[in-house]
Amino acid sequence: HAKVVRVIKLIRLLKLFRVLRATRAIARLERGLAIRHGAWQIIKFIVVVLTLAHWQACGWFLVHAVQKSNWSLGGSGGVGGGDGVLSTNEETTTWVDVLAESQGTYPETLDNDTRFAQYVACAYWATTTMTTIGYGDIVPVTTVERFLVISAQLVGSCVFLYGLTQVTKLVADTNGGDVEFAKVLDDANRYFTQRNVPKSLRIKVKEQLHHQRFFNASESV
């Protein structure tokens, strides 16, 4: 049956875990490229987020495909009557069916759409789940789907928020000179206010500070 073949193909997605072997190659690439540490950390964060979203999208559709297929231990002869076989289970309602009903396209569902459309819908769900946005148009229906959503929310949000925090820290460290210079200007403004320094003198002092910063940066280069 076409759906049985589809399930078998989806199970092959487990081979994606071979990507973990690429960590050594990435480390060698990092040593060989002349890329700033901050920029490289941002690139790795983007790759991790996209990879995790891809895996969650594939797992989301895999859960639907597996639930739409029954595993009968006894085959047509009942339990003990033969080898296990996969059969189509049209009675089980999954997130794909609910999505089609909410869009008014049922009985036409994602199963009747192209693989690209299926992947985009699942990637959309994975992204909104990971970023904790959750528009609510694609929702879990069965217990298995709810369990997967809980796992995806916990793992995805932790990875996304941790990476976002690290990127923010890297950006702050990169702009450390700007932050320090802003503190100097704030201290100067407070001094001007306390001493009632004339406006013309304030402007000259600030211009001198900007020039001094520019020449110090040029000398460091």
Side-chain angles (χ1 to χ4, degrees), residues 205-217:
V205 172
K206 289 183 179 180
E207 288 179 350
Q208 177 62 28
L209 290 174
H210 281 283
H211 285 302
Q212 183 178 356
R213 183 192 178 201
F214 174 77
F215 285 117
N216 289 339

Side-chain angles (χ1 to χ4, degrees), residues 52-182:
L52 182 59
H54 173 71
W55 284 353
Q56 288 184 348
C58 295
W60 186 236
F61 196 80
L62 175 62
V63 167
H64 156 71
V66 170
Q67 289 182 112
K68 282 296 185 179
S69 302
N70 277 336
W71 179 257
S72 302
L73 294 177
S76 60
V79 176
D83 296 332
V85 296
L86 281 170
S87 59
T88 303
N89 181 12
E90 298 293 348
E91 296 181 358
T92 302
T93 301
T94 67
W95 65 269
V96 172
D97 301 316
V98 174
L99 177 63
E101 291 176 356
S102 64
Q103 294 178 339
T105 61
Y106 194 83
E108 294 292 328
T109 65
L110 277 177
D111 290 327
N112 307 112
D113 215 328
T114 63
R115 290 186 179 180
F116 179 75
Q118 295 171 354
Y119 181 79
V120 169
C122 294
Y124 159 79
W125 167 84
T127 304
T128 55
T129 300
M130 185 185 307
T131 56
T132 66
I133 296 176
Y135 290 109
D137 49 350
I138 299 181
V139 296
V141 178
T142 65
T143 302
V144 177
E145 293 173 0
R146 293 189 182 98
F147 178 79
L148 179 61
V149 168
I150 292 174
S151 303
Q153 287 175 336
L154 292 176
V155 176
S157 60
C158 288
V159 171
F160 184 78
L161 293 178
Y162 173 79
L164 195 60
T165 303
Q166 294 301 310
V167 170
T168 304
K169 182 177 180 297
L170 287 171
V171 173
D173 293 340
T174 303
N175 298 329
D178 295 337
V179 175
E180 292 298 327
F181 184 71

Side-chain angles (χ1 to χ4, degrees), residues 174-193:
T174 303
N175 298 329
D178 295 337
V179 175
E180 292 298 327
F181 184 71
K183 291 181 179 178
V184 172
L185 292 179
D186 290 338
D187 293 338
N189 288 328
R190 282 194 293 268
Y191 179 82
F192 295 153
T193 302

